[in-house]
Amino acid sequence: MNLIQKLERQDLSNLGQELHHFAAELYPICRSITGDGLRQTLAKIQGRIPLQTFEVPSGTPVFDWTVPKEWNIKDAFIKDRRGHRVVDFRSSNLHVLNYSAPVCATLTLEDLRPHLFTLPEHPDWVPYRTSYYKENWGFCLAHNQMLGMRDAAYEVCIDSTLKDGHLTYAECLLPGRSTKEVLVSCHACHPSLANDNLSGVAVATFLAELLMQQDLRYSYRFLFLPGTIGAITWLARNQANVGRIAHGMVLAGIGDAGVLHYKKSRHGNAEIDRAAAHVLRHFSESAKVLEFSPYGYDERQYCSPGFNLPVGCLMRSVWGTFPEYHTSADNLDFIHPEKLLEALRVSAAIVHVLEDNRRYRNLNPYCEPQLGKRELYRSTGGPHIAEEISARLWVLNLSDGEFPLLDIADRSGIPFPTINEAAGLLCNAQLLAPVPEGLGNGVESDPNETGSSAAVQSSISSSA
Ligand code: ZN
């Protein structure tokens, strides 16, 4: 049973709700690029999948960057003269400029104003702002809330710490038959924002859970890390190993009601790009494929010219293009169980293509074999008899050892699973045989990699 069949067998309505519940469980945590909120988030993910966490000391140079000080926060507020909290961290962690230095003072409203951030165009929303690399402190609040502040002076307190500590990230490694890897990366550094970070975290976690139950061709490495600095840190620590990454995708902003988008890797025509485009084309007419650009999520780092990894990005509404982006309106109502589930299904369908995209050789290449006498000129029971038979003819014709199944699917216009199924039937009928991997795309046959595979296995078991 392939991945998609396995997914379709589960109670799907329930799975969508489960994804949403998981995002809801993580939602209240005050995350940042370092600190205990990130650790708590990783611990919750570890409750579902085997995870190895890494702690990188502040001050560690990572390419052109430095791992910053660790940030933690207990409380923050602005109190009016009656002692009433007019802005309260306890009601939303977005109220604090993320990475604020500690402060405790009484200030005039005029002196406080440069430290207040609002969104006049959406006066009831709280913006999400950060000050990672330039020490500052501040509060984010609804514009209408700020207009209501009329006292001459206010007591402000941010009970945070910003000191040497660690940057935390985590990996879930699922070993397959090959040590060639598929990288799945998502950022987990935003506080209470649902689509921008938690949707990707939830879908990646559930995808890993699904793959844990499979016999895998590739090894899969899931990364849960703080955006930008986390990906840069990971690449700096794994520069020697990136050659084993055969395909990759960033999952982010994937639970809102917008249409699905896949942003291509810098290669533009990598296998992951073609697999994702194929899946989206057959999944929904409105889904769009975008060319690579050097902004967006962490694909920027994986696709920087020194690495140039075949890593794309699967998302729904494109970052920065919707008004709720980086505001309190990116909440749990902004993401939907059925959209999260759809994202999981599309991700699984892409993985299915990567797993089964092989080359075959027609064993009876001189004229068409007679399908009728092998019972291959009739349906296996599916509703699309003509397409099933058409798929068999396409696979037979193009399987000269050169074209992998994805090429055949694209050229025929037939969905990959139908083409793959046809290849299976033709193999059973001894009309087709897989090209040994070493002669095809070299995935399983590199004997030099066996040792590292064993090391990978042991690191997973020690981390679980
Ligand atoms: Zn963001």
Side-chain angles (χ1 to χ4, degrees), residues 75-91 95 105 112 139 141 145 148-151 153-157:
D75 191 14
F77 57 81
I78 301 177
K79 276 185 188 168
D80 64 17
R81 64 191 150 84
R82 292 181 308 280
H84 172 68
R85 288 184 177 222
V86 291
V87 177
D88 188 354
F89 173 77
R90 295 178 306 199
S91 70
H95 278 314
L112 180 56
F139 290 89
L141 63 162
Q145 216 176 345
M149 290 173 63
R150 300 217 171 88
D151 284 4
Y154 287 88
E155 181 191 346
V156 300
C157 171

Side-chain angles (χ1 to χ4, degrees), residues 106-124:
T106 299
L107 294 177
T108 64
L109 183 56
E110 198 187 326
D111 288 342
L112 180 56
R113 248 182 233 291
H115 295 278
L116 301 181
F117 302 93
T118 70
L119 283 173
E121 62 275 31
H122 293 286
D124 292 320

Side-chain angles (χ1 to χ4, degrees), residues 35-286:
D36 291 333
L38 181 57
R39 289 190 188 97
Q40 283 163 27
T41 303
L42 298 177
K44 289 207 182 276
I45 297 168
Q46 194 164 17
R48 304 193 71 108
I49 56 175
L51 215 57
Q52 186 172 11
T53 52
F54 299 84
E55 298 277 353
V56 185
S58 305
T60 305
V62 285
F63 298 118
D64 199 36
W65 299 60
T66 305
V67 172
K69 289 179 180 171
E70 181 176 325
W71 186 68
N72 285 294
I73 182 161
K74 288 203 192 95
D75 191 14
F77 57 81
I78 301 177
K79 276 185 188 168
D80 64 17
R81 64 191 150 84
R82 292 181 308 280
H84 172 68
R85 288 184 177 222
V86 291
V87 177
D88 188 354
F89 173 77
R90 295 178 306 199
S91 70
S92 167
N93 56 41
L94 294 177
H95 278 314
V96 168
L97 177 73
N98 200 283
Y99 244 64
S100 274
V103 63
C104 211
T106 299
L107 294 177
T108 64
L109 183 56
E110 198 187 326
D111 288 342
L112 180 56
R113 248 182 233 291
H115 295 278
L116 301 181
F117 302 93
T118 70
L119 283 173
E121 62 275 31
H122 293 286
D124 292 320
W125 295 357
V126 178
Y128 160 60
R129 295 279 155 80
T130 65
S131 64
Y132 299 145
Y133 303 106
K134 189 167 182 270
E135 196 168 308
N136 193 5
W137 64 266
F139 290 89
C140 302
L141 63 162
H143 194 68
N144 284 337
Q145 216 176 345
M146 189 178 73
L147 295 179
M149 290 173 63
R150 300 217 171 88
D151 284 4
Y154 287 88
E155 181 191 346
V156 300
C157 171
I158 296 177
D159 185 5
S160 66
T161 53
L162 190 55
K163 50 190 183 193
D164 282 346
H166 294 83
L167 175 148
T168 315
Y169 68 83
E171 296 186 2
C172 166
L173 181 63
L174 305 177
R177 295 191 298 281
S178 166
T179 54
K180 288 282 180 204
E181 291 181 3
V182 178
L183 186 80
V184 179
S185 176
C186 60
H187 63 281
C189 56
H190 290 20
S192 293
L193 295 179
N195 197 41
D196 186 5
N197 99 148
L198 295 181
S199 65
V201 169
V203 171
T205 303
F206 279 56
L207 181 62
E209 261 187 281
L210 192 65
L211 294 181
M212 277 162 61
Q213 309 155 18
Q214 301 288 313
D215 170 34
L216 297 166
R217 174 195 191 188
Y218 289 105
S219 296
Y220 286 76
R221 193 180 297 270
F222 288 78
L223 302 183
F224 300 89
L225 33 71
T228 308
I229 188 67
I232 292 170
T233 302
W234 188 84
L235 284 164
R237 289 163 58 94
N238 291 279
Q239 190 169 8
N241 304 326
V242 295
R244 63 192 178 197
I245 298 170
H247 319 283
M249 59 182 172
V250 168
L251 297 178
I254 210 167
D256 65 287
V259 303
L260 283 157
H261 286 84
Y262 172 78
K263 178 183 145 183
K264 290 181 186 175
S265 74
R266 185 174 178 271
H267 291 254
N269 199 30
E271 193 175 333
I272 180 74
D273 299 329
R274 291 186 300 114
H278 178 88
V279 167
L280 287 191
R281 185 160 55 244
H282 288 282
F283 192 81
S284 149
E285 274 181 23
S286 55

Side-chain angles (χ1 to χ4, degrees), residues 280-298:
L280 287 191
R281 185 160 55 244
H282 288 282
F283 192 81
S284 149
E285 274 181 23
S286 55
K288 290 192 173 62
V289 176
L290 307 172
E291 292 302 322
F292 176 74
S293 57
Y295 34 83
Y297 299 109
D298 284 330

